[in-house]
Amino acid sequence: MARDDDVAGQVWNIPGGGGLTGDQVIKYASKILGYEPKVVSVKKWMLRLLGIGDKTMREMVELDYLYDRPVLLDGQ
């Protein structure tokens, strides 16, 4: 699809082999980068507070549902 000019500009949702938790992503990234970063959890109210002065953080509050429960594509 990436090489087909007829599909340029279209959106495609392609299922994968399952989901990853945030902890798994951090573990894999740490292994690749060669160090373990300090990671802290951010609450929704904190994002709202940051959103007062930062548009990106304000939008993160609106997208919170994507991080609250998994979005998995099964290909059916």
Side-chain angles (χ1 to χ4, degrees), residues 15-39:
L20 293 174
T21 66
D23 288 336
Q24 288 172 316
V25 172
I26 293 166
K27 177 184 165 188
Y28 294 137
S30 296
K31 187 175 180 180
I32 291 169
L33 296 173
Y35 72 94
E36 195 167 331
K38 181 180 178 185
V39 179

Side-chain angles (χ1 to χ4, degrees), residues 1-10 12:
M1 289 189 315
R3 296 180 182 167
D4 189 346
D5 291 335
D6 293 334
V7 298
Q10 296 184 28
W12 296 88

